[in-house]
Coordinates of all heavy atoms in Angstrom, one line a residue:
M985 N 43.4 -19.4 9.4 CA 42.7 -18.5 10.2 C 43.2 -17.1 9.9 O 44.3 -16.8 9.8 CB 42.9 -18.9 11.7 CG 42.2 -17.9 12.6 SD 42.5 -18.3 14.4 CE 41.5 -19.6 14.6
S986 N 42.3 -16.2 9.7 CA 42.7 -14.8 9.4 C 43.0 -14.1 10.7 O 42.5 -14.4 11.8 CB 41.5 -14.1 8.7 OG 40.5 -13.7 9.6
A987 N 43.8 -13.0 10.6 CA 44.2 -12.2 11.7 C 43.0 -11.5 12.4 O 42.9 -11.3 13.6 CB 45.2 -11.2 11.3
A988 N 42.0 -11.3 11.6 CA 40.8 -10.6 12.1 C 40.0 -11.5 13.2 O 39.4 -11.0 14.0 CB 39.8 -10.3 11.0
L989 N 40.2 -12.8 13.1 CA 39.6 -13.7 14.1 C 40.4 -13.9 15.4 O 39.9 -14.4 16.3 CB 39.3 -15.1 13.4 CG 38.4 -15.1 12.2 CD1 38.3 -16.5 11.6 CD2 37.0 -14.6 12.6
V990 N 41.6 -13.5 15.3 CA 42.5 -13.7 16.5 C 42.4 -12.4 17.4 O 42.7 -11.3 17.0 CB 44.0 -13.9 16.1 CG1 44.8 -13.9 17.3 CG2 44.1 -15.1 15.2
M991 N 41.9 -12.6 18.6 CA 41.6 -11.5 19.5 C 42.8 -11.2 20.4 O 42.9 -10.1 20.9 CB 40.4 -11.8 20.3 CG 39.1 -12.0 19.4 SD 38.9 -10.6 18.3 CE 38.4 -9.3 19.4
N992 N 43.6 -12.2 20.8 CA 44.7 -12.0 21.7 C 45.9 -12.8 21.3 O 45.8 -13.8 20.6 CB 44.3 -12.5 23.1 CG 43.2 -11.6 23.7 OD1 43.3 -10.4 23.8 ND2 42.1 -12.3 24.2
M993 N 47.1 -12.3 21.8 CA 48.3 -13.1 21.7 C 48.6 -13.7 23.1 O 48.1 -13.2 24.1 CB 49.5 -12.1 21.4 CG 49.5 -11.5 20.1 SD 51.0 -10.4 20.0 CE 50.9 -9.9 18.3
L994 N 49.3 -14.8 23.0 CA 49.7 -15.4 24.3 C 50.7 -14.4 24.9 O 51.4 -13.6 24.3 CB 50.4 -16.8 24.0 CG 49.5 -17.8 23.5 CD1 50.3 -19.1 23.1 CD2 48.4 -18.2 24.5
P995 N 50.9 -14.5 26.2 CA 51.8 -13.5 26.9 C 53.2 -13.6 26.3 O 53.8 -12.5 26.1 CB 51.8 -14.0 28.4 CG 50.4 -14.5 28.6 CD 50.1 -15.3 27.2
Q996 N 53.8 -14.7 26.0 CA 55.1 -14.8 25.5 C 55.1 -14.1 24.1 O 56.1 -13.4 23.7 CB 55.6 -16.3 25.4 CG 56.9 -16.4 24.8 CD 57.3 -17.8 24.4 OE1 56.5 -18.5 23.9 NE2 58.6 -18.1 24.6
Q997 N 54.1 -14.4 23.3 CA 54.1 -13.8 21.9 C 54.0 -12.3 22.0 O 54.6 -11.6 21.3 CB 52.9 -14.4 21.2 CG 53.0 -15.8 20.8 CD 51.6 -16.4 20.3 OE1 50.6 -15.9 20.7 NE2 51.7 -17.3 19.4
R998 N 53.2 -11.8 22.9 CA 53.1 -10.3 23.1 C 54.4 -9.7 23.6 O 54.8 -8.7 23.0 CB 52.0 -10.0 24.1 CG 51.7 -8.5 24.1 CD 50.3 -8.2 24.8 NE 50.0 -6.8 24.6 CZ 50.3 -5.9 25.5 NH1 50.9 -6.2 26.6 NH2 49.9 -4.6 25.3
R999 N 55.1 -10.4 24.5 CA 56.4 -9.9 24.9 C 57.4 -9.8 23.7 O 58.1 -8.8 23.5 CB 57.0 -10.8 26.0 CG 56.4 -10.5 27.4 CD 57.2 -11.2 28.5 NE 57.3 -12.6 28.4 CZ 56.4 -13.5 28.8 NH1 55.3 -13.0 29.3 NH2 56.5 -14.7 28.6
L1000 N 57.4 -10.9 22.9 CA 58.3 -11.0 21.8 C 57.9 -9.9 20.8 O 58.8 -9.2 20.1 CB 58.2 -12.3 21.1 CG 58.9 -13.5 21.9 CD1 58.6 -14.8 21.3 CD2 60.4 -13.3 22.0
A1001 N 56.6 -9.7 20.5 CA 56.2 -8.7 19.5 C 56.5 -7.3 20.0 O 57.0 -6.5 19.2 CB 54.7 -8.8 19.4
R1002 N 56.4 -7.0 21.3 CA 56.7 -5.7 21.7 C 58.2 -5.4 21.7 O 58.6 -4.3 21.3 CB 56.2 -5.5 23.2 CG 54.7 -5.5 23.3 CD 54.1 -5.3 24.7 NE 54.7 -4.1 25.4 CZ 54.3 -2.9 25.1 NH1 53.4 -2.6 24.1 NH2 54.8 -1.9 25.8
A1003 N 59.0 -6.4 22.0 CA 60.5 -6.3 21.9 C 60.8 -6.0 20.4 O 61.7 -5.3 20.1 CB 61.1 -7.5 22.4
A1004 N 60.2 -6.7 19.5 CA 60.4 -6.6 18.0 C 60.2 -5.1 17.6 O 60.8 -4.6 16.7 CB 59.6 -7.5 17.2
L1005 N 59.2 -4.5 18.2 CA 58.8 -3.1 17.9 C 59.6 -2.1 18.6 O 59.5 -0.9 18.4 CB 57.3 -2.9 18.2 CG 56.4 -3.7 17.3 CD1 54.9 -3.6 17.9 CD2 56.4 -3.2 15.9
G1006 N 60.5 -2.6 19.6 CA 61.3 -1.6 20.4 C 60.5 -1.0 21.5 O 60.9 0.1 22.0
L1007 N 59.4 -1.7 21.9 CA 58.6 -1.2 23.0 C 58.8 -1.9 24.3 O 59.2 -3.1 24.2 CB 57.1 -1.3 22.6 CG 56.7 -0.4 21.4 CD1 55.3 -0.8 21.0 CD2 56.8 1.1 21.8
P1008 N 58.7 -1.3 25.5 CA 58.3 0.1 25.7 C 59.5 1.0 25.5 O 60.6 0.6 25.6 CB 57.9 0.1 27.1 CG 58.7 -1.0 27.8 CD 58.9 -2.0 26.7
N1009 N 59.2 2.3 25.2 CA 60.2 3.3 25.2 C 59.5 4.6 25.6 O 58.3 4.8 25.6 CB 60.9 3.4 23.9 CG 60.0 3.8 22.7 OD1 59.3 4.8 22.7 ND2 60.0 2.9 21.7
A1010 N 60.3 5.7 25.8 CA 59.8 7.0 26.3 C 58.9 7.6 25.3 O 58.0 8.4 25.7 CB 61.0 7.9 26.6
E1011 N 59.1 7.4 24.0 CA 58.3 8.0 23.0 C 57.0 7.3 22.7 O 56.1 7.8 22.0 CB 59.1 8.1 21.7 CG 60.2 9.2 21.7 CD 61.4 8.6 22.4 OE1 61.6 7.4 22.4 OE2 62.2 9.4 22.9
R1012 N 56.9 6.1 23.3 CA 55.7 5.2 23.2 C 55.4 5.0 21.7 O 54.2 4.9 21.3 CB 54.5 5.8 23.9 CG 54.8 6.0 25.4 CD 53.7 6.4 26.3 NE 52.6 5.4 26.3 CZ 52.6 4.2 27.0 NH1 53.7 3.9 27.7 NH2 51.6 3.4 27.0
T1013 N 56.4 4.9 20.9 CA 56.3 4.7 19.4 C 57.4 3.7 19.0 O 58.5 3.7 19.5 CB 56.6 6.0 18.7 OG1 55.6 7.0 19.1 CG2 56.4 5.8 17.2
S1014 N 56.9 2.8 18.1 CA 57.9 1.8 17.6 C 59.1 2.5 16.9 O 58.9 3.6 16.4 CB 57.2 0.8 16.6 OG 56.8 1.4 15.5
Y1015 N 60.2 1.8 16.9 CA 61.3 2.3 16.1 C 62.0 1.2 15.3 O 63.1 1.4 14.7 CB 62.4 3.0 16.9 CG 63.0 2.2 18.0 CD1 64.2 1.5 17.7 CD2 62.5 2.1 19.3 CE1 64.8 0.7 18.7 CE2 63.1 1.4 20.3 CZ 64.3 0.7 20.0 OH 64.9 -0.1 20.9
R1016 N 61.4 0.0 15.3 CA 61.9 -1.2 14.5 C 60.7 -2.1 14.4 O 59.7 -2.0 14.9 CB 63.1 -1.8 15.1 CG 62.8 -2.4 16.5 CD 64.0 -3.0 17.1 NE 63.7 -3.6 18.4 CZ 64.4 -3.4 19.5 NH1 65.6 -2.8 19.4 NH2 64.0 -4.0 20.6
N1017 N 61.0 -3.2 13.6 CA 60.0 -4.3 13.5 C 60.7 -5.5 13.0 O 60.6 -5.9 11.8 CB 58.8 -3.8 12.5 CG 57.8 -4.9 12.3 OD1 57.8 -5.8 13.1 ND2 57.0 -4.8 11.3
K1018 N 61.4 -6.1 13.9 CA 62.1 -7.4 13.5 C 62.6 -8.1 14.7 O 62.8 -7.5 15.8 CB 63.3 -7.2 12.5 CG 64.4 -6.3 13.1 CD 65.5 -6.2 12.1 CE 65.2 -5.3 11.0 NZ 66.4 -5.0 10.1
H1019 N 62.6 -9.4 14.5 CA 63.1 -10.3 15.6 C 63.8 -11.5 14.9 O 63.2 -12.2 14.1 CB 61.9 -10.9 16.5 CG 62.4 -11.7 17.6 ND1 62.7 -11.2 18.8 CD2 62.7 -13.1 17.6 CE1 63.1 -12.3 19.6 NE2 63.1 -13.4 18.9
Y1020 N 65.0 -11.7 15.2 CA 65.9 -12.8 14.7 C 65.7 -14.0 15.5 O 65.7 -13.9 16.8 CB 67.3 -12.3 14.6 CG 67.6 -11.2 13.6 CD1 67.5 -9.9 13.9 CD2 67.9 -11.5 12.3 CE1 67.7 -8.9 13.0 CE2 68.1 -10.5 11.3 CZ 68.1 -9.2 11.7 OH 68.3 -8.2 10.8
T1021 N 65.7 -15.2 14.9 CA 65.8 -16.4 15.6 C 66.7 -17.3 14.9 O 67.0 -17.2 13.7 CB 64.4 -17.1 15.8 OG1 64.0 -17.7 14.5 CG2 63.3 -16.2 16.2
S1022 N 67.2 -18.4 15.6 CA 68.1 -19.3 15.0 C 67.3 -20.4 14.1 O 68.0 -21.1 13.5 CB 68.8 -20.1 16.1 OG 68.0 -20.8 16.9
G1023 N 66.0 -20.3 14.1 CA 65.3 -21.3 13.4 C 64.8 -22.4 14.2 O 64.3 -23.4 13.6
K1024 N 65.0 -22.4 15.5 CA 64.5 -23.5 16.3 C 64.3 -22.9 17.7 O 64.8 -21.8 18.1 CB 65.5 -24.7 16.3 CG 66.8 -24.3 16.8 CD 67.8 -25.4 16.7 CE 69.2 -24.9 17.0 NZ 70.2 -26.0 16.8
G1025 N 63.6 -23.6 18.6 CA 63.4 -23.3 19.9 C 62.1 -22.6 20.2 O 61.3 -22.4 19.3
D1026 N 61.8 -22.2 21.5 CA 60.5 -21.7 21.9 C 60.2 -20.3 21.3 O 59.1 -20.1 20.9 CB 60.5 -21.5 23.4 CG 60.5 -22.8 24.2 OD1 60.2 -23.8 23.6 OD2 60.8 -22.8 25.4
Y1027 N 61.2 -19.4 21.2 CA 60.9 -18.2 20.5 C 60.5 -18.3 19.1 O 59.6 -17.7 18.6 CB 62.1 -17.2 20.7 CG 62.4 -16.7 22.0 CD1 63.6 -16.1 22.3 CD2 61.5 -16.9 23.1 CE1 63.9 -15.6 23.6 CE2 61.8 -16.4 24.4 CZ 63.0 -15.7 24.6 OH 63.2 -15.2 25.8
H1028 N 61.3 -19.2 18.4 CA 61.0 -19.4 17.0 C 59.6 -20.0 16.8 O 58.8 -19.6 16.0 CB 62.0 -20.4 16.3 CG 61.8 -20.6 14.9 ND1 62.2 -19.7 13.9 CD2 61.2 -21.6 14.2 CE1 61.9 -20.1 12.8 NE2 61.3 -21.3 12.9
D1029 N 59.2 -21.0 17.7 CA 57.9 -21.6 17.6 C 56.8 -20.5 17.9 O 55.8 -20.6 17.3 CB 57.8 -22.7 18.6 CG 58.7 -23.9 18.3 OD1 59.2 -24.0 17.2 OD2 58.9 -24.7 19.2
A1030 N 57.0 -19.6 18.8 CA 56.1 -18.6 19.1 C 55.8 -17.7 17.9 O 54.7 -17.3 17.6 CB 56.5 -17.8 20.3
W1031 N 56.9 -17.3 17.2 CA 56.8 -16.5 16.0 C 56.1 -17.3 14.9 O 55.3 -16.7 14.1 CB 58.2 -16.0 15.6 CG 58.6 -14.8 16.4 CD1 59.5 -14.8 17.4 CD2 58.2 -13.5 16.2 NE1 59.6 -13.5 17.9 CE2 58.8 -12.7 17.1 CE3 57.3 -12.9 15.3 CZ2 58.6 -11.3 17.2 CZ3 57.0 -11.5 15.4 CH2 57.7 -10.8 16.3
V1032 N 56.4 -18.5 14.7 CA 55.8 -19.4 13.7 C 54.2 -19.3 13.9 O 53.5 -19.2 13.0 CB 56.3 -20.8 13.6 CG1 55.5 -21.7 12.8 CG2 57.8 -20.7 13.1
A1033 N 53.8 -19.5 15.1 CA 52.4 -19.4 15.5 C 51.8 -18.1 15.1 O 50.7 -18.0 14.5 CB 52.2 -19.7 16.9
L1034 N 52.5 -17.0 15.3 CA 52.0 -15.7 14.9 C 51.9 -15.6 13.4 O 51.0 -15.1 12.8 CB 53.0 -14.6 15.4 CG 52.9 -14.3 16.9 CD1 54.0 -13.3 17.3 CD2 51.6 -13.9 17.4
Q1035 N 52.9 -16.2 12.7 CA 52.9 -16.2 11.2 C 51.7 -17.0 10.7 O 51.0 -16.5 9.8 CB 54.2 -16.8 10.7 CG 54.3 -16.9 9.2 CD 55.5 -17.7 8.8 OE1 56.1 -18.4 9.5 NE2 55.8 -17.6 7.5
L1036 N 51.5 -18.1 11.3 CA 50.3 -18.9 10.9 C 49.0 -18.2 11.0 O 48.0 -18.5 10.3 CB 50.3 -20.3 11.6 CG 51.5 -21.2 11.3 CD1 51.4 -22.4 12.2 CD2 51.4 -21.6 9.8
H1037 N 48.9 -17.3 11.9 CA 47.7 -16.5 12.2 C 47.7 -15.2 11.4 O 46.8 -14.3 11.6 CB 47.5 -16.3 13.7 CG 47.0 -17.5 14.4 ND1 47.9 -18.5 14.8 CD2 45.8 -17.9 14.6 CE1 47.2 -19.4 15.4 NE2 45.9 -19.1 15.3
G1038 N 48.7 -15.0 10.5 CA 48.7 -13.7 9.7 C 49.2 -12.5 10.5 O 49.0 -11.4 10.1
L1039 N 49.8 -12.8 11.6 CA 50.2 -11.6 12.5 C 51.7 -11.3 12.3 O 52.2 -10.3 12.9 CB 49.9 -12.0 14.0 CG 48.5 -12.2 14.3 CD1 48.3 -12.6 15.7 CD2 47.7 -11.0 14.0
A1040 N 52.4 -12.1 11.6 CA 53.9 -11.9 11.3 C 54.2 -12.6 10.0 O 53.5 -13.4 9.5 CB 54.7 -12.5 12.4
V1041 N 55.3 -12.1 9.4 CA 55.9 -12.7 8.2 C 57.3 -13.1 8.5 O 58.0 -12.5 9.3 CB 55.8 -11.7 7.0 CG1 54.4 -11.4 6.6 CG2 56.6 -10.4 7.3
L1042 N 57.8 -14.1 7.7 CA 59.1 -14.7 7.9 C 60.0 -14.4 6.7 O 59.6 -14.5 5.5 CB 59.0 -16.2 8.1 CG 60.3 -17.0 8.1 CD1 61.2 -16.5 9.3 CD2 60.0 -18.5 8.2
G1043 N 61.2 -14.0 7.0 CA 62.2 -13.8 6.0 C 63.6 -14.3 6.5 O 63.6 -14.9 7.6
T1044 N 64.6 -14.0 5.8 CA 66.0 -14.4 6.3 C 66.9 -13.3 6.1 O 66.7 -12.4 5.3 CB 66.5 -15.6 5.5 OG1 66.6 -15.3 4.1 CG2 65.7 -16.9 5.7
D1045 N 67.9 -13.2 6.9 CA 69.0 -12.2 6.9 C 70.3 -12.9 7.4 O 70.3 -13.3 8.5 CB 68.6 -11.0 7.7 CG 69.6 -9.9 7.7 OD1 70.4 -9.9 6.8 OD2 69.5 -9.0 8.5
D1046 N 71.3 -13.0 6.5 CA 72.5 -13.6 6.8 C 72.3 -15.0 7.5 O 73.0 -15.3 8.5 CB 73.3 -12.7 7.8 CG 73.9 -11.5 7.1 OD1 74.2 -11.6 5.9 OD2 74.1 -10.5 7.8
G1047 N 71.4 -15.8 6.9 CA 71.2 -17.2 7.4 C 70.4 -17.3 8.7 O 70.1 -18.4 9.1
L1048 N 69.9 -16.2 9.2 CA 69.0 -16.3 10.4 C 67.6 -16.0 9.9 O 67.3 -15.2 9.0 CB 69.4 -15.2 11.4 CG 70.7 -15.4 12.1 CD1 71.1 -14.2 12.9 CD2 70.7 -16.6 12.9
A1049 N 66.6 -16.6 10.6 CA 65.2 -16.3 10.4 C 64.9 -14.9 11.0 O 65.4 -14.7 12.1 CB 64.4 -17.4 11.1
V1050 N 64.2 -14.1 10.3 CA 63.9 -12.8 10.8 C 62.4 -12.7 10.6 O 61.8 -12.8 9.5 CB 64.6 -11.7 10.1 CG1 64.5 -11.6 8.7 CG2 64.3 -10.3 10.8
F1051 N 61.7 -12.5 11.7 CA 60.2 -12.2 11.7 C 59.9 -10.8 11.8 O 60.6 -10.0 12.5 CB 59.5 -13.0 12.9 CG 59.5 -14.5 12.7 CD1 60.6 -15.3 13.2 CD2 58.5 -15.1 12.0 CE1 60.6 -16.6 13.1 CE2 58.5 -16.5 11.9 CZ 59.5 -17.3 12.4
R1052 N 58.9 -10.3 11.1 CA 58.4 -9.0 11.2 C 56.9 -9.0 11.4 O 56.2 -9.9 10.8 CB 58.7 -8.2 9.9 CG 60.3 -8.1 9.7 CD 60.6 -7.3 8.5 NE 60.2 -5.9 8.7 CZ 60.1 -5.0 7.7 NH1 60.2 -5.4 6.4 NH2 59.8 -3.8 8.0
L1053 N 56.4 -8.2 12.2 CA 54.9 -8.1 12.5 C 54.2 -7.5 11.3 O 54.7 -6.6 10.7 CB 54.7 -7.3 13.7 CG 55.1 -7.9 15.0 CD1 55.1 -6.9 16.1 CD2 54.3 -9.1 15.4
T1054 N 53.0 -8.0 11.0 CA 52.1 -7.3 10.1 C 51.5 -6.2 11.0 O 51.6 -6.1 12.2 CB 51.0 -8.3 9.7 OG1 50.2 -8.7 10.8 CG2 51.6 -9.5 8.9
R1055 N 50.8 -5.3 10.3 CA 50.1 -4.2 11.1 C 49.1 -4.8 12.1 O 48.9 -4.3 13.2 CB 49.4 -3.3 10.1 CG 50.4 -2.4 9.4 CD 49.7 -1.6 8.3 NE 50.7 -0.8 7.5 CZ 51.4 -1.3 6.6 NH1 51.4 -2.6 6.2 NH2 52.3 -0.6 5.9
A1056 N 48.4 -5.9 11.7 CA 47.4 -6.5 12.6 C 48.2 -7.1 13.8 O 47.7 -7.0 15.0 CB 46.7 -7.7 11.9
G1057 N 49.3 -7.7 13.6 CA 50.1 -8.2 14.8 C 50.6 -7.1 15.7 O 50.5 -7.2 16.9
A1058 N 51.0 -6.0 15.1 CA 51.5 -4.9 15.9 C 50.3 -4.3 16.7 O 50.5 -3.9 17.8 CB 52.1 -3.8 15.0
R1059 N 49.2 -4.2 16.1 CA 48.0 -3.6 16.8 C 47.7 -4.4 18.1 O 47.4 -3.8 19.1 CB 46.8 -3.5 15.9 CG 46.8 -2.4 15.0 CD 45.4 -2.2 14.3 NE 45.0 -3.3 13.5 CZ 45.4 -3.5 12.2 NH1 46.1 -2.5 11.6 NH2 44.9 -4.5 11.5
L1060 N 47.9 -5.7 18.0 CA 47.6 -6.6 19.2 C 48.7 -6.4 20.3 O 48.4 -6.6 21.4 CB 47.5 -8.0 18.7 CG 46.3 -8.4 18.0 CD1 46.4 -9.9 17.6 CD2 45.0 -8.2 18.9
A1061 N 49.9 -6.0 19.9 CA 51.0 -5.9 20.8 C 51.0 -4.5 21.5 O 51.6 -4.4 22.6 CB 52.3 -6.1 20.1
L1062 N 50.4 -3.5 20.9 CA 50.4 -2.2 21.5 C 49.5 -2.0 22.8 O 48.5 -2.6 22.9 CB 49.9 -1.1 20.4 CG 50.7 -1.0 19.2 CD1 50.0 0.0 18.2 CD2 52.1 -0.5 19.5
E1063 N 50.0 -1.1 23.6 CA 49.2 -0.6 24.7 C 48.4 0.6 24.2 O 48.7 1.2 23.1 CB 50.0 -0.3 25.9 CG 50.7 -1.6 26.4 CD 51.4 -1.4 27.8 OE1 51.3 -0.3 28.3 OE2 52.0 -2.4 28.2
A1064 N 47.4 1.0 24.9 CA 46.5 2.0 24.5 C 47.1 3.3 24.0 O 46.7 3.8 22.9 CB 45.5 2.4 25.6
S1065 N 48.1 3.8 24.6 CA 48.7 5.1 24.2 C 49.9 5.0 23.3 O 50.6 6.0 23.0 CB 49.0 5.9 25.4 OG 50.0 5.2 26.2
E1066 N 50.2 3.8 22.8 CA 51.3 3.6 21.9 C 50.9 3.6 20.4 O 49.8 3.4 20.1 CB 52.0 2.2 22.3 CG 52.6 2.2 23.6 CD 53.2 0.9 24.0 OE1 52.6 -0.2 23.5 OE2 54.1 0.8 24.8
K1067 N 51.9 3.8 19.6 CA 51.6 3.8 18.2 C 52.9 3.2 17.4 O 54.0 3.1 18.0 CB 51.3 5.2 17.7 CG 52.4 6.2 17.9 CD 51.9 7.6 17.5 CE 53.0 8.6 17.9 NZ 52.6 10.0 17.7
V1068 N 52.7 2.9 16.2 CA 53.7 2.4 15.3 C 54.1 3.4 14.3 O 53.2 4.2 13.9 CB 53.4 1.0 14.7 CG1 53.3 0.0 15.8 CG2 52.2 1.1 13.8
R1069 N 55.3 3.4 13.8 CA 55.8 4.2 12.7 C 55.5 3.4 11.4 O 55.8 2.2 11.3 CB 57.2 4.5 12.7 CG 57.7 5.4 13.7 CD 59.3 5.6 13.6 NE 59.9 4.3 13.3 CZ 61.1 4.2 12.7 NH1 61.7 5.3 12.3 NH2 61.7 3.1 12.5
E1070 N 54.9 4.0 10.4 CA 54.6 3.4 9.2 C 55.9 2.8 8.5 O 55.9 1.8 7.8 CB 54.0 4.3 8.1 CG 52.4 4.2 8.1 CD 51.8 2.8 8.1 OE1 52.1 2.1 7.1 OE2 51.2 2.5 9.0
A1071 N 57.0 3.5 8.7 CA 58.3 3.1 8.1 C 58.7 1.7 8.6 O 59.4 1.0 7.9 CB 59.4 4.1 8.4
D1072 N 58.2 1.3 9.8 CA 58.5 0.0 10.3 C 57.8 -1.1 9.5 O 58.1 -2.3 9.8 CB 58.1 -0.1 11.8 CG 58.9 0.8 12.7 OD1 60.1 1.2 12.3 OD2 58.4 1.3 13.7
F1073 N 56.9 -0.8 8.6 CA 56.1 -1.8 7.9 C 56.4 -1.8 6.4 O 55.7 -2.5 5.7 CB 54.6 -1.7 8.2 CG 54.4 -1.9 9.7 CD1 54.5 -0.9 10.6 CD2 54.2 -3.2 10.1 CE1 54.3 -1.1 12.0 CE2 54.0 -3.4 11.5 CZ 54.1 -2.4 12.4
L1074 N 57.4 -1.0 5.9 CA 57.7 -1.0 4.5 C 58.1 -2.5 4.1 O 58.9 -3.1 4.7 CB 58.9 -0.1 4.3 CG 58.6 1.4 4.5 CD1 59.8 2.2 4.2 CD2 57.4 1.9 3.6
G1075 N 57.5 -3.0 3.0 CA 57.7 -4.3 2.5 C 57.0 -5.4 3.3 O 57.3 -6.6 3.0
V1076 N 56.2 -5.1 4.3 CA 55.5 -6.1 5.0 C 54.0 -6.1 4.5 O 53.3 -5.2 4.7 CB 55.5 -5.9 6.5 CG1 54.7 -7.0 7.3 CG2 57.0 -5.8 7.0
A1077 N 53.6 -7.2 3.9 CA 52.3 -7.3 3.4 C 51.4 -7.9 4.5 O 51.8 -8.9 5.2 CB 52.2 -8.3 2.2
D1078 N 50.3 -7.3 4.8 CA 49.3 -7.8 5.8 C 48.7 -9.1 5.1 O 48.3 -9.1 4.0 CB 48.3 -6.8 6.1 CG 48.9 -5.9 7.2 OD1 49.7 -6.3 8.0 OD2 48.5 -4.7 7.1
A1079 N 48.5 -10.1 6.0 CA 47.9 -11.3 5.5 C 46.4 -11.1 5.4 O 45.8 -10.3 5.8 CB 48.2 -12.4 6.5

């Protein structure tokens, strides 16, 4: 399924996505784009679902799974007056 067909994230996925972006904050702008998981559990499963829909990508860092949102995933996590920094998406290919 392409990200264009996905209209909403589940509440847990949106909370995780916003935390990965460092939101909310006073500047209403992302300052990061990553979420580490141990590779199992509810959070990991929520991120895998986002990955399967093209809203996140998976990598590793020091043996931990690290998920990063695609631009499409970030757009779904933002509130109306928030924005993302392009630097947070360097090396992240949109699905």
Side-chain angles (χ1 to χ4, degrees):
M985 176 182 283
S986 77
L989 297 176
V990 177
M991 299 306 291
N992 292 308
M993 291 178 172
L994 296 174
Q996 179 192 40
Q997 292 169 327
R998 190 163 187 267
R999 280 191 303 275
L1000 291 170
R1002 290 179 58 72
L1005 293 170
L1007 296 169
N1009 64 54
E1011 290 79 28
R1012 301 191 62 77
T1013 302
S1014 67
Y1015 63 88
R1016 63 181 181 222
N1017 181 15
K1018 61 175 78 172
H1019 182 92
Y1020 291 90
T1021 74
S1022 65
K1024 58 185 174 184
D1026 291 345
Y1027 289 169
H1028 184 81
D1029 293 345
W1031 278 103
V1032 167
L1034 291 172
Q1035 179 190 14
L1036 291 173
H1037 286 84
L1039 301 175
V1041 295
L1042 172 62
T1044 59
D1045 185 13
D1046 288 331
L1048 292 173
V1050 59
F1051 288 92
R1052 297 181 70 199
L1053 293 164
T1054 62
R1055 286 171 185 80
R1059 279 192 299 272
L1060 287 175
L1062 295 177
E1063 293 189 6
S1065 61
E1066 293 174 332
K1067 58 186 176 184
V1068 295
R1069 289 181 321 152
E1070 264 315 296
D1072 296 333
F1073 296 90
L1074 294 177
V1076 178
D1078 280 324

